[in-house]
mmCIF file of all heavy atoms in Angstrom:
data_model
loop_
_atom_site.group_PDB
_atom_site.id
_atom_site.type_symbol
_atom_site.label_atom_id
_atom_site.label_comp_id
_atom_site.label_asym_id
_atom_site.label_seq_id
_atom_site.Cartn_x
_atom_site.Cartn_y
_atom_site.Cartn_z
ATOM 1 N N ILE A 15 11.868 26.496 15.150
ATOM 2 C CA ILE A 15 11.466 27.254 16.320
ATOM 3 C C ILE A 15 11.902 28.684 16.149
ATOM 4 O O ILE A 15 13.128 28.997 16.107
ATOM 5 C CB ILE A 15 12.065 26.631 17.613
ATOM 6 C CG1 ILE A 15 11.560 25.189 17.716
ATOM 7 C CG2 ILE A 15 11.692 27.462 18.828
ATOM 8 C CD1 ILE A 15 12.232 24.394 18.812
ATOM 9 N N GLY A 16 10.938 29.562 15.982
ATOM 10 C CA GLY A 16 11.222 30.979 15.694
ATOM 11 C C GLY A 16 12.089 31.652 16.713
ATOM 12 O O GLY A 16 12.999 32.454 16.350
ATOM 13 N N SER A 17 11.901 31.404 17.982
ATOM 14 C CA SER A 17 12.703 32.094 18.997
ATOM 15 C C SER A 17 14.170 31.676 18.903
ATOM 16 O O SER A 17 15.070 32.508 19.139
ATOM 17 C CB SER A 17 12.180 31.817 20.408
ATOM 18 O OG SER A 17 12.148 30.440 20.674
ATOM 19 N N VAL A 18 14.437 30.432 18.540
ATOM 20 C CA VAL A 18 15.823 29.995 18.374
ATOM 21 C C VAL A 18 16.431 30.695 17.138
ATOM 22 O O VAL A 18 17.549 31.150 17.190
ATOM 23 C CB VAL A 18 15.906 28.474 18.227
ATOM 24 C CG1 VAL A 18 17.300 28.018 17.903
ATOM 25 C CG2 VAL A 18 15.398 27.800 19.477
ATOM 26 N N GLN A 19 15.642 30.809 16.076
ATOM 27 C CA GLN A 19 16.148 31.500 14.891
ATOM 28 C C GLN A 19 16.459 32.954 15.209
ATOM 29 O O GLN A 19 17.500 33.478 14.776
ATOM 30 C CB GLN A 19 15.089 31.410 13.765
ATOM 31 C CG GLN A 19 14.947 30.025 13.184
ATOM 32 C CD GLN A 19 13.865 29.988 12.116
ATOM 33 O OE1 GLN A 19 12.747 30.422 12.352
ATOM 34 N NE2 GLN A 19 14.260 29.509 10.940
ATOM 35 N N ARG A 20 15.587 33.605 15.968
ATOM 36 C CA ARG A 20 15.819 35.018 16.326
ATOM 37 C C ARG A 20 17.067 35.133 17.218
ATOM 38 O O ARG A 20 17.903 36.059 17.030
ATOM 39 C CB ARG A 20 14.597 35.628 17.007
ATOM 40 C CG ARG A 20 13.449 35.830 16.007
ATOM 41 C CD ARG A 20 12.287 36.582 16.678
ATOM 42 N NE ARG A 20 11.615 35.772 17.682
ATOM 43 C CZ ARG A 20 10.686 34.894 17.465
ATOM 44 N NH1 ARG A 20 10.251 34.671 16.228
ATOM 45 N NH2 ARG A 20 10.121 34.222 18.472
ATOM 46 N N ALA A 21 17.226 34.247 18.157
ATOM 47 C CA ALA A 21 18.403 34.281 19.041
ATOM 48 C C ALA A 21 19.689 34.106 18.211
ATOM 49 O O ALA A 21 20.696 34.815 18.467
ATOM 50 C CB ALA A 21 18.303 33.237 20.114
ATOM 51 N N LEU A 22 19.650 33.194 17.264
ATOM 52 C CA LEU A 22 20.829 33.006 16.396
ATOM 53 C C LEU A 22 21.124 34.231 15.535
ATOM 54 O O LEU A 22 22.254 34.558 15.331
ATOM 55 C CB LEU A 22 20.648 31.753 15.534
ATOM 56 C CG LEU A 22 20.707 30.425 16.324
ATOM 57 C CD1 LEU A 22 20.273 29.275 15.436
ATOM 58 C CD2 LEU A 22 22.088 30.209 16.921
ATOM 59 N N ARG A 23 20.078 34.908 15.078
ATOM 60 C CA ARG A 23 20.289 36.139 14.311
ATOM 61 C C ARG A 23 20.960 37.179 15.189
ATOM 62 O O ARG A 23 21.842 37.914 14.735
ATOM 63 C CB ARG A 23 18.965 36.681 13.757
ATOM 64 C CG ARG A 23 18.461 35.836 12.606
ATOM 65 C CD ARG A 23 17.484 36.525 11.645
ATOM 66 N NE ARG A 23 16.670 37.573 12.158
ATOM 67 C CZ ARG A 23 15.332 37.519 12.320
ATOM 68 N NH1 ARG A 23 14.675 36.406 11.999
ATOM 69 N NH2 ARG A 23 14.673 38.510 12.786
ATOM 70 N N LEU A 24 20.567 37.253 16.455
ATOM 71 C CA LEU A 24 21.234 38.196 17.357
ATOM 72 C C LEU A 24 22.701 37.838 17.603
ATOM 73 O O LEU A 24 23.554 38.728 17.575
ATOM 74 C CB LEU A 24 20.513 38.209 18.735
ATOM 75 C CG LEU A 24 19.255 39.000 18.866
ATOM 76 C CD1 LEU A 24 18.713 38.887 20.278
ATOM 77 C CD2 LEU A 24 19.483 40.449 18.497
ATOM 78 N N VAL A 25 22.979 36.563 17.781
ATOM 79 C CA VAL A 25 24.371 36.096 17.963
ATOM 80 C C VAL A 25 25.177 36.459 16.718
ATOM 81 O O VAL A 25 26.275 37.002 16.842
ATOM 82 C CB VAL A 25 24.426 34.584 18.240
ATOM 83 C CG1 VAL A 25 25.811 34.036 18.111
ATOM 84 C CG2 VAL A 25 23.827 34.290 19.622
ATOM 85 N N GLU A 26 24.648 36.223 15.551
ATOM 86 C CA GLU A 26 25.353 36.556 14.309
ATOM 87 C C GLU A 26 25.580 38.054 14.182
ATOM 88 O O GLU A 26 26.691 38.493 13.798
ATOM 89 C CB GLU A 26 24.578 36.055 13.079
ATOM 90 C CG GLU A 26 24.550 34.544 12.995
ATOM 91 C CD GLU A 26 23.502 34.047 11.984
ATOM 92 O OE1 GLU A 26 22.674 34.848 11.486
ATOM 93 O OE2 GLU A 26 23.528 32.842 11.695
ATOM 94 N N ALA A 27 24.602 38.860 14.580
ATOM 95 C CA ALA A 27 24.725 40.330 14.506
ATOM 96 C C ALA A 27 25.746 40.820 15.494
ATOM 97 O O ALA A 27 26.550 41.682 15.163
ATOM 98 C CB ALA A 27 23.376 40.970 14.738
ATOM 99 N N MET A 28 25.736 40.265 16.687
ATOM 100 C CA MET A 28 26.744 40.680 17.692
ATOM 101 C C MET A 28 28.154 40.320 17.239
ATOM 102 O O MET A 28 29.096 41.079 17.409
ATOM 103 C CB MET A 28 26.456 40.039 19.064
ATOM 104 C CG MET A 28 25.365 40.733 19.843
ATOM 105 S SD MET A 28 25.120 40.020 21.445
ATOM 106 C CE MET A 28 24.168 38.555 21.026
ATOM 107 N N TYR A 29 28.288 39.172 16.610
ATOM 108 C CA TYR A 29 29.603 38.762 16.072
ATOM 109 C C TYR A 29 30.063 39.719 14.942
ATOM 110 O O TYR A 29 31.165 40.195 14.957
ATOM 111 C CB TYR A 29 29.518 37.328 15.541
ATOM 112 C CG TYR A 29 30.815 36.842 14.972
ATOM 113 C CD1 TYR A 29 31.853 36.455 15.790
ATOM 114 C CD2 TYR A 29 30.988 36.780 13.589
ATOM 115 C CE1 TYR A 29 33.051 36.014 15.241
ATOM 116 C CE2 TYR A 29 32.181 36.378 13.056
ATOM 117 C CZ TYR A 29 33.205 36.000 13.869
ATOM 118 O OH TYR A 29 34.400 35.558 13.338
ATOM 119 N N ALA A 30 29.144 40.020 14.039
ATOM 120 C CA ALA A 30 29.473 40.876 12.876
ATOM 121 C C ALA A 30 29.797 42.299 13.337
ATOM 122 O O ALA A 30 30.665 42.949 12.778
ATOM 123 C CB ALA A 30 28.321 40.866 11.876
ATOM 124 N N GLU A 31 29.089 42.789 14.339
ATOM 125 C CA GLU A 31 29.261 44.157 14.825
ATOM 126 C C GLU A 31 30.299 44.290 15.897
ATOM 127 O O GLU A 31 30.591 45.379 16.359
ATOM 128 C CB GLU A 31 27.913 44.686 15.362
ATOM 129 C CG GLU A 31 26.809 44.791 14.318
ATOM 130 C CD GLU A 31 26.974 45.993 13.454
ATOM 131 O OE1 GLU A 31 27.197 47.109 13.985
ATOM 132 O OE2 GLU A 31 26.857 45.883 12.238
ATOM 133 N N ASN A 32 30.793 43.147 16.380
ATOM 134 C CA ASN A 32 31.702 43.093 17.548
ATOM 135 C C ASN A 32 31.050 43.802 18.729
ATOM 136 O O ASN A 32 31.716 44.583 19.433
ATOM 137 C CB ASN A 32 33.040 43.718 17.215
ATOM 138 C CG ASN A 32 34.120 43.372 18.238
ATOM 139 O OD1 ASN A 32 33.996 42.342 18.909
ATOM 140 N ND2 ASN A 32 35.123 44.197 18.374
ATOM 141 N N GLY A 33 29.786 43.531 18.920
ATOM 142 C CA GLY A 33 29.014 44.141 20.018
ATOM 143 C C GLY A 33 28.180 45.314 19.529
ATOM 144 O O GLY A 33 28.587 45.976 18.560
ATOM 145 N N ALA A 34 27.028 45.518 20.133
ATOM 146 C CA ALA A 34 26.149 46.564 19.722
ATOM 147 C C ALA A 34 25.125 46.834 20.823
ATOM 148 O O ALA A 34 24.880 45.948 21.681
ATOM 149 C CB ALA A 34 25.471 46.255 18.418
ATOM 150 N N THR A 35 24.474 47.963 20.781
ATOM 151 C CA THR A 35 23.392 48.238 21.720
ATOM 152 C C THR A 35 22.184 47.385 21.305
ATOM 153 O O THR A 35 22.077 46.918 20.152
ATOM 154 C CB THR A 35 22.982 49.725 21.675
ATOM 155 O OG1 THR A 35 22.464 50.021 20.359
ATOM 156 C CG2 THR A 35 24.148 50.639 21.994
ATOM 157 N N ALA A 36 21.252 47.237 22.250
ATOM 158 C CA ALA A 36 20.050 46.476 21.956
ATOM 159 C C ALA A 36 19.262 47.153 20.839
ATOM 160 O O ALA A 36 18.731 46.467 19.965
ATOM 161 C CB ALA A 36 19.181 46.354 23.203
ATOM 162 N N LYS A 37 19.224 48.469 20.859
ATOM 163 C CA LYS A 37 18.507 49.209 19.823
ATOM 164 C C LYS A 37 19.123 48.947 18.440
ATOM 165 O O LYS A 37 18.395 48.729 17.459
ATOM 166 C CB LYS A 37 18.515 50.709 20.143
ATOM 167 C CG LYS A 37 17.608 51.538 19.305
ATOM 168 C CD LYS A 37 17.549 52.968 19.817
ATOM 169 C CE LYS A 37 16.538 53.767 19.034
ATOM 170 N NZ LYS A 37 16.414 55.123 19.581
ATOM 171 N N ARG A 38 20.433 48.950 18.369
ATOM 172 C CA ARG A 38 21.121 48.674 17.063
ATOM 173 C C ARG A 38 20.863 47.260 16.633
ATOM 174 O O ARG A 38 20.624 46.984 15.452
ATOM 175 C CB ARG A 38 22.620 48.941 17.237
ATOM 176 C CG ARG A 38 23.451 48.475 16.076
ATOM 177 C CD ARG A 38 23.765 49.607 15.108
ATOM 178 N NE ARG A 38 24.636 49.105 14.057
ATOM 179 C CZ ARG A 38 24.296 49.152 12.781
ATOM 180 N NH1 ARG A 38 23.150 49.667 12.399
ATOM 181 N NH2 ARG A 38 25.105 48.686 11.850
ATOM 182 N N LEU A 39 20.930 46.309 17.566
ATOM 183 C CA LEU A 39 20.651 44.932 17.208
ATOM 184 C C LEU A 39 19.214 44.752 16.717
ATOM 185 O O LEU A 39 19.007 44.003 15.754
ATOM 186 C CB LEU A 39 20.907 44.019 18.414
ATOM 187 C CG LEU A 39 22.368 43.878 18.848
ATOM 188 C CD1 LEU A 39 22.474 43.178 20.197
ATOM 189 C CD2 LEU A 39 23.165 43.120 17.795
ATOM 190 N N ALA A 40 18.286 45.450 17.339
ATOM 191 C CA ALA A 40 16.902 45.361 16.841
ATOM 192 C C ALA A 40 16.781 45.918 15.431
ATOM 193 O O ALA A 40 16.119 45.343 14.568
ATOM 194 C CB ALA A 40 15.967 46.151 17.790
ATOM 195 N N ARG A 41 17.473 46.999 15.183
ATOM 196 C CA ARG A 41 17.400 47.665 13.882
ATOM 197 C C ARG A 41 17.992 46.746 12.786
ATOM 198 O O ARG A 41 17.414 46.600 11.716
ATOM 199 C CB ARG A 41 18.100 49.001 13.905
ATOM 200 C CG ARG A 41 17.854 49.889 12.732
ATOM 201 C CD ARG A 41 18.467 51.282 12.882
ATOM 202 N NE ARG A 41 19.479 51.246 13.907
ATOM 203 C CZ ARG A 41 19.606 52.143 14.893
ATOM 204 N NH1 ARG A 41 18.834 53.130 15.017
ATOM 205 N NH2 ARG A 41 20.558 52.055 15.765
ATOM 206 N N ILE A 42 19.186 46.181 13.041
ATOM 207 C CA ILE A 42 19.815 45.451 11.978
ATOM 208 C C ILE A 42 19.265 44.024 11.791
ATOM 209 O O ILE A 42 19.377 43.455 10.703
ATOM 210 C CB ILE A 42 21.377 45.375 12.146
ATOM 211 C CG1 ILE A 42 21.766 44.655 13.444
ATOM 212 C CG2 ILE A 42 21.976 46.735 12.082
ATOM 213 C CD1 ILE A 42 23.269 44.575 13.661
ATOM 214 N N THR A 43 18.614 43.502 12.826
ATOM 215 C CA THR A 43 18.017 42.149 12.685
ATOM 216 C C THR A 43 16.537 42.173 12.318
ATOM 217 O O THR A 43 16.005 41.174 11.854
ATOM 218 C CB THR A 43 18.138 41.336 13.999
ATOM 219 O OG1 THR A 43 17.445 42.007 15.033
ATOM 220 C CG2 THR A 43 19.608 41.090 14.362
ATOM 221 N N GLY A 44 15.884 43.332 12.542
ATOM 222 C CA GLY A 44 14.465 43.416 12.289
ATOM 223 C C GLY A 44 13.618 42.766 13.403
ATOM 224 O O GLY A 44 12.410 42.618 13.241
ATOM 225 N N ILE A 45 14.261 42.463 14.489
ATOM 226 C CA ILE A 45 13.545 41.856 15.636
ATOM 227 C C ILE A 45 13.050 42.998 16.542
ATOM 228 O O ILE A 45 13.811 43.931 16.805
ATOM 229 C CB ILE A 45 14.466 40.955 16.430
ATOM 230 C CG1 ILE A 45 15.014 39.778 15.561
ATOM 231 C CG2 ILE A 45 13.791 40.385 17.681
ATOM 232 C CD1 ILE A 45 16.137 38.963 16.194
ATOM 233 N N PRO A 46 11.791 42.969 16.977
ATOM 234 C CA PRO A 46 11.277 44.053 17.836
ATOM 235 C C PRO A 46 12.149 44.227 19.095
ATOM 236 O O PRO A 46 12.634 43.244 19.671
ATOM 237 C CB PRO A 46 9.871 43.584 18.205
ATOM 238 C CG PRO A 46 9.499 42.626 17.100
ATOM 239 C CD PRO A 46 10.782 41.938 16.690
ATOM 240 N N LEU A 47 12.337 45.442 19.506
ATOM 241 C CA LEU A 47 13.217 45.785 20.621
ATOM 242 C C LEU A 47 12.845 45.026 21.904
ATOM 243 O O LEU A 47 13.771 44.465 22.552
ATOM 244 C CB LEU A 47 13.234 47.283 20.872
ATOM 245 C CG LEU A 47 14.202 47.795 21.927
ATOM 246 C CD1 LEU A 47 15.655 47.370 21.608
ATOM 247 C CD2 LEU A 47 14.127 49.309 22.082
ATOM 248 N N PRO A 48 11.578 44.949 22.290
ATOM 249 C CA PRO A 48 11.289 44.175 23.507
ATOM 250 C C PRO A 48 11.735 42.693 23.408
ATOM 251 O O PRO A 48 12.240 42.106 24.369
ATOM 252 C CB PRO A 48 9.760 44.244 23.656
ATOM 253 C CG PRO A 48 9.391 45.485 22.890
ATOM 254 C CD PRO A 48 10.363 45.589 21.778
ATOM 255 N N THR A 49 11.564 42.100 22.235
ATOM 256 C CA THR A 49 12.016 40.721 22.030
ATOM 257 C C THR A 49 13.531 40.619 22.101
ATOM 258 O O THR A 49 14.083 39.674 22.681
ATOM 259 C CB THR A 49 11.497 40.200 20.657
ATOM 260 O OG1 THR A 49 10.093 40.303 20.633
ATOM 261 C CG2 THR A 49 11.926 38.763 20.420
ATOM 262 N N VAL A 50 14.224 41.601 21.550
ATOM 263 C CA VAL A 50 15.690 41.638 21.622
ATOM 264 C C VAL A 50 16.118 41.642 23.086
ATOM 265 O O VAL A 50 16.980 40.859 23.499
ATOM 266 C CB VAL A 50 16.266 42.852 20.874
ATOM 267 C CG1 VAL A 50 17.726 43.077 21.197
ATOM 268 C CG2 VAL A 50 16.095 42.681 19.370
#
Side-chain angles (χ1 to χ4, degrees):
I15 300 172
S17 58
V18 174
Q19 290 178 307
R20 288 186 293 276
L22 290 171
R23 287 202 333 248
L24 280 181
V25 167
E26 291 167 350
M28 281 183 281
Y29 179 77
E31 297 281 313
N32 195 26
T35 64
K37 190 172 185 177
R38 171 97 177 120
L39 290 168
R41 192 174 19 228
I42 61 180
T43 61
I45 300 170
L47 186 57
T49 303
V50 167

